[in-house]
């Protein structure tokens, strides 16, 4: 964000949950992995948001877990997007007299709302239900933010289990040089004068060599001097 | 108990055990525990038609069927044998028939209490039917028993280990005929009568599952009948009845006089649910019902097959009459269990796994049997694993399987309360391994099948088993006892973060823009264009990222903090034409703030990292360390760092953990030069002013010989240590050249790539250190034998492996605390008594667990081993750095969880802090060494230090006062004089 001034920043880096309520029910705004946005009665890892100030009075809301930006389409529907577009994903924030915050899209003129009915916001009118939010501090332990990946039971196909099911044998990858000299591999004419001073190339093979086996000739070329 | 009780086992073992319980249990077996070793007649005896022995179905099967495996290493028969080239048959095998003395000497060497062997039916009754027994055959077993009596070894005798007389197969169709039961009974009676006086443990039939299923349904084993599964179930039915008859025979006619015990050896696999759901657990239970319950439930519970089998198989499964049920029920005096590679992962029918996951877990199987069959006494009558047919006497893989299985047996006894009465290692010697011929070996003694005399040579596993029997288990070792004591007062307690997050976001008050507050209308701040306030000097507190880091360190109460600078970030182009001063300033701030917080920064100039090995892209592009100019560029970079940051840095690391396992010799050479250049630069230009220390930090995991008694393995371990550590250490800390071992090995392999140092280089590199710093994480076992060519390292001729009784981290790193002490001692032995730092030591743990108990265990035990090295071995250990500070730069290994810019301490952090607070391990009675706190030494200095400006002001006041006094005095004198 170019013109970011920390003077205008608030809540930088800390996790916030946006809480909204009516007389009967209360929700926290949450952004799911697939970008779907809804409300949850309790704080979850998906309702943990990072609210950063873009410029004066305007904020960007990001799901901490999904890294999706809260954005709005032209009908006022909100969704989580991995792509940040300044018009759709920036909201003007201000505080109402009752202490609640509202977030308005300046492009689409809708308020961020968890309610189903969307209507254009007119200043002076009452905001629709579920569009007034309180920023609440995160109470979800950090442990929960660690995503649980399903345990895999697959074995690699090349390694039939019956020989060593408990895995006693545990090779560590090790690159191993092979005793071949570059000068033999390469016609010397291809190389310039300094070749003689650098006759041995990168002679390695085997596992763990990320750079692979091809291009032996390349790797034997002397290195240019850099300044 | 109700059938199905065993299913509780999976829930019981679903939770991972605490680290203390997951590793080796130091305990012994109950008194009177039976330590046995086993063999089977056809696998070892040979002499297939010697002295009137009749042919067995295995003789016929291996001679006539093409089913015998062809991957046998044996190609040529021993010289002069008239028989065709020795293929995979048991014709000669280990020739036990002619070597009674040799075999029993092997038993004596092992020190076993029991020996399990089987009687070859066709050897004592060549036709299979009672009539005139073969005297020579009976004499062989009598001689064997006689020798056992002399040695005090009790026999455990199997009547039927798969070798049915061929005549019975031809006449009756083998076990498919019910009539066999009566012949078996007659044969058993003969054996009871002849040998029963000495034999207290009888096994009627070995592994009826394999006999019935693979002998008669799949045809994989002798007699090789490819019948239907219906035939398989019928044969099993007959085997059960035959067993029952023999048991009743013994029970009524022989038990009163002979007082022995009779059972049937049942084999099982173990299986785990795919997921811990009721459905999957039921499928697992079904799997065990189909394999083990098939025979065990009729015998141990109610004389009938498991419900799940009856439901699934309906008419395929024969029915027992009520009288048969009564006959079969209760016909075992103990539970004889066979567990190992015959069935597991081999002869187990895949359909009987019910899509669940096979796993060789003996402890859980024992627990299941205990629950399912009413807590029977269990005698493990066959257990072990195998090594490849080419492996000779250092059979490390077999040995560690044996150790694991025995450890699980011990845990079943001590922790789960299972009544295990004996253990049989399988087998005494290498032999004919059924469908696998000679392609695998399972003996504790090695047999060279091509040799004439077939000597029994003890393998490493035999020495291991012998020691185990002598100790009756795994008694606690004195060197494993935790030590109480403290480290020296100025010991460096550190923590590592691979990289500090360079975050140059400034906190408030540095924005030079001027704003208007539109307080009446929009209530917003409006930036005033074109007006900029005077830029003020940047301060370190402006970086908002530094404070939180330091808070974490203070919370841990570490005295030292180690991290690496990011070369590519400081010098994006790799040379001085472009220096990122913002980053450099950030580092300077980080370091000076650390010093202010009383934490000594330990700064590494470079460590290999993901993009471009942590090098500036330009350098990486031009060959990285392969290129000799990289060394010069490094020296320039080091010069910049010393100049800009050296003022606050007392401990420098030139290079942290260069990866010796993925580096060419030339790259290593340049790396050493680069280090030495940087060291000399510091030594010449900066040391006098900055007074710091500088060295290199090497990764030093411990390498232990897999077979502790093997000279070859010791050599391999030394070789791997020299290649892993010595390669870079020897030139600097030792002789100035690469290790002798390394050079000799490479020459021997015709590899002449290891560069030579010129005299100048030697002078440059040798001694370019101020201390010895090592990272240590784990221990690796090495064996020289090529057990698995796919996993063998041909270049160093080493098979790397692990001890499966060791505790492992989620990413399979072994926790072996004593390895740290060993590596520190090795380093001292090699390079002398230098000041040493452990600059990284830590482990990954399950990031989803609330308690990182593995890390707690790891830190506690490794620091204790470091203490032993310091106190008991007198190693000059100056510091210990735990790895790592947070999950941000080292996922899963941190003391702090990290998510979305938040840090949260894990429980291990408090444990490490406790160790730091007591400067080691304080016992209940011992008092910690009193360490004078530094600032209390000189209270006055502190007083003056903090009030410097006040003192200056006071002295100024005093000075002016004196001057004024002097002036007053002077002028008053003068005045007096003038009035005079």
């Amino acid at each position: 964000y170019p013109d970011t001034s920390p003077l205008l920043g608030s809540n930088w880096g800390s996790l916030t949950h946006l809480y909204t309520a009516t007389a009967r029910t209360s929700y926290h705004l949450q952004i799911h992995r697939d970008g779907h946005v809804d409300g949850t009665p309790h704080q979850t890892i998906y309702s943990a948001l990072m609210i950063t100030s873009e410029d004066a009075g305007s904020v960007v809301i990001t799901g901490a877990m999904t890294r999706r930006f809260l954005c709005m389409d032209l009908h006022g529907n909100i969704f989580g997007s991995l792509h940040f577009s300044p018009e759709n994903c920036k909201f003007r924030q201000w505080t109402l007299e009752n202490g609640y915050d509202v977030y308005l899209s300046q492009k689409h003129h809708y308020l961020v709302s968890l309610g189903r009915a969307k209507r254009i916001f007119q200043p002076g009118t009452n905001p629709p239900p579920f569009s007034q939010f309180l920023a609440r501090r995160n109470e979800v332990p950090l442990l929960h933010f660690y995503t649980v990946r399903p345990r895999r039971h697959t074995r690699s196909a090349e390694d039939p289990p019956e020989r060593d099911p408990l895995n006693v044998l545990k090779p560590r990858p090790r690159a191993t040089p092979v005793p071949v000299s570059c000068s033999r591999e390469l016609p010397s004419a291809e190389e310039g004068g300094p070749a003689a001073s650098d006759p041995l190339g990168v002679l390695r093979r085997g596992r763990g060599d990320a750079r692979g086996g091809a291009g032996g000739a390349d790797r034997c070329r002397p290195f240019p001097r850099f300044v | 108990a109700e059938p199905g009780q065993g299913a509780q086992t999976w829930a019981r073992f679903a939770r991972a055990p605490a680290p203390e319980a997951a590793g080796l249990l130091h305990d012994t077996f109950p008194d009177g525990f039976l330590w046995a070793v086993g063999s089977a007649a056809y696998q070892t005896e040979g002499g297939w038609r010697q002295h009137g022995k009749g042919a067995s179905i295995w003789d016929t099967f291996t001679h006539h069927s093409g089913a015998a495996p062809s991957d046998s290493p044996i190609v040529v028969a021993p010289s002069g044998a008239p028989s065709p080239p020795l293929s995979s048959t048991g014709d000669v095998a280990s020739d036990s028939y002619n070597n009674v003395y040799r075999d029993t000497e092997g038993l004596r060497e092992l020190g076993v209490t029991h020996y399990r062997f089987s009687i070859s039916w066709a050897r004592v009754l060549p036709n299979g039917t009672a009539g005139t027994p073969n005297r020579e055959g009976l004499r062989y077993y009598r001689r064997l028993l006689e020798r056992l009596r002399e040695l005090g070894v009790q026999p455990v005798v199997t009547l039927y280990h798969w070798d049915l007389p061929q005549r019975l197969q031809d006449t009756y169709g083998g076990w498919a005929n019910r009539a066999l039961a009566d012949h078996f009974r007659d044969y058993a009676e003969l054996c009871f009568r002849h040998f029963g006086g000495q034999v207290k443990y009888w096994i009627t039939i070995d592994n009826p599952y394999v006999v019935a299923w693979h002998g008669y349904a799949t045809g994989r084993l002798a007699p090789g009948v490819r019948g239907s599964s219906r035939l398989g179930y019928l044969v099993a039915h007959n085997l059960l009845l035959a067993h029952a008859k023999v048991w009743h025979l013994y029970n009524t006619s022989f038990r009163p006089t002979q007082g022995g015990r009779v059972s049937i050896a049942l084999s099982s696999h173990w299986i785990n649910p795919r997921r811990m759901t009721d459905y999957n657990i039921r499928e697992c239970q079904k799997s065990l019902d189909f394999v083990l319950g098939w025979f065990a439930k009729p015998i141990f519970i109610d004389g009938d097959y498991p419900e799940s089998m009856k439901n699934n198989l309906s008419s395929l499964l024969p029915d027992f009459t009520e009288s048969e049920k009564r006959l079969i029920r209760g016909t075992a005096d103990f539970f004889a269990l066979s567990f190992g590679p015959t069935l597991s992962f081999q002869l187990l029918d895949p359909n009987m796994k019910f899509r669940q996951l096979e796993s060789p877990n003996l402890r859980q199987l024992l627990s299941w049997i205990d629950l399912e069959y009413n807590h029977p006494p269990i005698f493990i009558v066959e257990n072990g694993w195998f090594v490849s047919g080419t492996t000779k006497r250092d059979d490390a893989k077999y040995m560690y399987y044996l150790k694991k299985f025995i450890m699980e047996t011990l845990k079943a006894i001590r922790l789960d309360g299972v009544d295990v009465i004996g253990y049989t290692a399988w087998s005494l010697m290498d032999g004919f391994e059924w469908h696998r011929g000679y392609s695998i070996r399972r003996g504790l003694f090695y047999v060279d099948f091509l040799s004439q005399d077939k000597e029994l040579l003890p393998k490493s596993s035999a020495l291991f088993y012998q020691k185990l029997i002598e100790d009756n288990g795994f008694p606690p070792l004195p060197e494993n006892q935790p030590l109480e004591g403290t480290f020296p007062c100025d010991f460096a307690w550190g923590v590592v973060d691979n990289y500090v997050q360079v975050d140059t976001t400034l906190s408030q008050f540095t924005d030079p823009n001027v704003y208007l507050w539109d307080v009446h209308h929009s209530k917003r701040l409006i930036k005033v264009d074109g007006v900029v306030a005077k830029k003020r000097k940047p301060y370190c507190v402006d970086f908002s990222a530094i404070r939180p880091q330091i808070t974490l360190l203070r919370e841990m109460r570490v005295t030292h903090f180690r991290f690496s600078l990011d070369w590519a970030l400081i010098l994006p182009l790799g040379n001085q034409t472009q220096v990122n001063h913002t980053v450099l300033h950030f580092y300077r701030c980080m370091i000076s703030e650390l010093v202010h917080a009383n934490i000594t920064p330990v700064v590494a100039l470079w460590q290999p990292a993901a993009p471009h090995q942590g090098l500036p892209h330009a350098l990486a592009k031009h060959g990285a360390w392969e290129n000799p100019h990289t060394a010069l560029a490094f020296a320039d970079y080091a010069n910049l760092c010393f100049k800009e940051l050296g003022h606050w840095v007392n401990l420098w690391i030139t290079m942290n953990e260069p990866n010796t396992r993925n580096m060419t010799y030339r790259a290593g050479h340049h790396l050493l030069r680069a280090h030495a250049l940087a060291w000399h630069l510091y030594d010449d230009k900066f040391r006098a002013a900055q007074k710091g220390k500088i060295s290199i930090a090497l990764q030093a995991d411990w390498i232990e010989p897999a077979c502790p008694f093997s000279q070859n393995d010791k050599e391999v371990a030394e070789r791997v240590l020299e290649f892993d550590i010595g390669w870079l250490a020897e030139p600097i800390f030792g002789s100035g050249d690469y290790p002798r071992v390394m050079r000799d090995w490479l020459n021997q392999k015709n590899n002449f790539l290891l560069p030579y140092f010129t005299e100048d280089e030697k002078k440059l590199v040798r001694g370019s250190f101020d201390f010895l710093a090592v990272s240590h994480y784990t221990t690796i076992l090495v064996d020289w034998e090529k057990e698995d060519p796919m996993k063998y390292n041909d270049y160093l001729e080493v098979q790397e492996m692990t001890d499966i009784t060791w505790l492992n981290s989620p990413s399979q790193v072994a926790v072996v605390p004593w390895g740290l002490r060993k590596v520190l001692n090795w380093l001292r032995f090699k390079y002398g008594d230098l000041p040493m730092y452990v600059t990284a030591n830590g482990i990954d743990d399950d990031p989803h667990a609330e308690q990182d108990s593995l890390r707690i265990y790891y830190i506690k035990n490794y620091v204790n081993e470091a203490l032993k090295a310091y106190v008991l071995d007198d190693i000059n250990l100056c510091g210990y750095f735990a790895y790592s500070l947070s999950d941000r730069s080292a996922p899963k290994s941190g003391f702090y969880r990290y998510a979305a810019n938040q840090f949260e301490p894990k429980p291990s952090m408090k444990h490490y802090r406790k160790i730091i607070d007591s400067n080691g391990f304080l016992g209940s009675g011992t008092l910690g060494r009193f360490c004078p706190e530094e600032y209390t030494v000189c209270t006055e200095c502190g007083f003056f230090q903090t009030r410097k400006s006040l003192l200056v002001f006071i002295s100024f006041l005093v000075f002016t006062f004196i001057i004024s006094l002097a002036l007053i005095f002077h002028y008053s004198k003068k005045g007096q004089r003038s009035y005079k």
Side-chain angles (χ1 to χ4, degrees), chain B residues 494-508:
Chain B
V495 69
V496 181
D497 206 358
N498 285 332
Y499 287 97
V500 292
Q501 181 95 339
V502 177
D503 181 351
T504 49
T505 312
L506 299 174
S507 61
Q508 51 197 341

Side-chain angles (χ1 to χ4, degrees), chain A residues 3 5-8 12-15 50 55-58 64 67 92 106 138 140-149 153 155 158-159 161-181 198 200-205 207-211 219 223-227, chain B residues 274 345-346 357 360 385-386 388 397 400-401 404 503 506-507 511 515 524-525 527 575 619 622-623 626-627 629-630 633 661-666 703 720 723-724 749-751 753 780 787-788 790-793 795-796 799-802 804 808 812 847-850 887 897-904:
Chain A
D3 260 329
S5 162
L7 179 61
L8 308 171
W12 187 87
S14 68
L15 296 179
M50 292 191 289
D55 49 54
S58 117
R67 301 277 152 183
R92 226 192 100 212
Q106 284 183 301
N138 175 46
V140 182
L142 285 192
L143 174 63
H144 296 189
F145 288 87
Y146 286 69
T147 38
V148 179
R149 256 179 260 118
H153 288 295
R155 287 173 186 275
E158 58 180 341
D159 197 10
E162 74 272 6
R163 297 181 65 85
D164 186 15
L166 294 175
N167 286 319
V168 165
L169 307 183
K170 233 161 103 172
R172 298 176 296 167
R174 186 193 294 274
T176 51
V178 284
V180 181
S181 80
D198 188 18
L200 301 178
V202 190
L203 304 171
R204 294 192 299 166
R205 69 169 172 89
R207 309 173 287 237
D209 185 0
R211 286 176 290 170
R219 289 197 262 139
F223 300 105
R225 189 187 169 83
F226 48 83
V227 203
Chain B
R274 229 164 240 288
F345 297 98
Q346 274 290 313
L357 304 162
W385 207 250
F386 63 88
S388 130
K397 185 178 107 179
Y400 287 105
Y401 271 87
K404 174 79 173 173
D503 181 351
L506 299 174
S507 61
D511 186 1
Y515 296 86
R524 294 177 55 182
L525 292 172
K527 198 193 267 180
N575 56 35
L619 299 185
H622 290 120
E626 300 290 332
N627 190 331
H629 303 306
T630 303
R661 277 184 297 126
N662 192 9
M663 190 164 63
T664 63
Y665 296 130
R666 202 161 46 146
I703 309 293
V720 176
F723 272 82
D724 279 4
K749 298 227 115 194
N750 285 326
N751 180 327
L753 292 178
I780 286 126
E787 175 56 39
D788 182 348
M790 292 294 292
K791 296 179 178 175
Y792 194 72
N793 187 318
Y795 157 66
L796 288 184
Q799 184 89 61
E800 295 183 332
M801 48 177 70
T802 191
I804 37 184
N808 269 319
Q812 299 305 305
H848 312 300
E850 197 90 41
D887 285 351
R897 283 179 222 293
Y898 173 81
N901 286 320
Q902 317 273 303
F903 293 93
E904 202 176 75

Side-chain angles (χ1 to χ4, degrees), chain A residues 94 96-98 102 104 109-111 119-129 131-132:
Chain A
W94 74 92
L96 303 174
E97 275 161 15
N98 60 8
V102 288
L104 176 73
H109 308 292
Y110 288 98
L111 285 177
R119 56 189 160 84
I120 302 274
F121 174 72
Q122 254 122 39
T125 61
N126 269 339
S131 61
Q132 305 182 27

Side-chain angles (χ1 to χ4, degrees), chain A residues 36-221:
Chain A
H36 175 71
V37 173
D38 62 7
T40 161
H42 304 287
Q43 293 193 359
T44 70
I45 52 172
Y46 295 108
S47 73
L49 308 171
M50 292 191 289
I51 304 181
T52 44
S53 292
E54 265 298 278
D55 49 54
S58 117
V59 294
V60 172
I61 300 170
T62 322
M65 202 57 202
T66 59
R67 301 277 152 183
R68 280 176 183 272
F69 299 99
L70 184 74
C71 303
M72 187 178 279
D73 67 10
L74 72 168
H75 304 294
N77 300 309
I78 47 175
F79 58 97
S81 164
L82 289 173
H83 170 73
F84 178 79
S85 93
E87 306 96 65
N88 299 327
C89 310
K90 248 160 73 170
F91 300 98
R92 226 192 100 212
Q93 170 197 10
W94 74 92
T95 308
L96 303 174
E97 275 161 15
N98 60 8
Y100 282 82
D101 292 332
V102 288
Y103 299 87
L104 176 73
S105 167
Q106 284 183 301
K107 166 101 190 264
H108 306 299
H109 308 292
Y110 288 98
L111 285 177
V112 169
S113 163
L114 286 176
R116 210 160 300 152
K118 314 278 182 199
R119 56 189 160 84
I120 302 274
F121 174 72
Q122 254 122 39
T125 61
N126 269 339
F130 297 124
S131 61
Q132 305 182 27
F133 294 95
L134 274 184
R136 295 184 61 186
R137 215 177 43 184
N138 175 46
E139 284 161 7
V140 182
L142 285 192
L143 174 63
H144 296 189
F145 288 87
Y146 286 69
T147 38
V148 179
R149 256 179 260 118
R151 273 173 65 194
R152 282 178 302 143
H153 288 295
T154 49
R155 287 173 186 275
S156 60
E158 58 180 341
D159 197 10
E162 74 272 6
R163 297 181 65 85
D164 186 15
L166 294 175
N167 286 319
V168 165
L169 307 183
K170 233 161 103 172
R172 298 176 296 167
R174 186 193 294 274
T176 51
V178 284
V180 181
S181 80
C182 263
S183 48
R184 250 189 296 162
E185 259 181 24
L186 275 185
S188 57
E190 214 182 281
E191 311 193 26
S197 71
D198 188 18
L200 301 178
V202 190
L203 304 171
R204 294 192 299 166
R205 69 169 172 89
R207 309 173 287 237
D209 185 0
R211 286 176 290 170
D218 262 358
R219 289 197 262 139
C220 287
R221 200 165 294 147

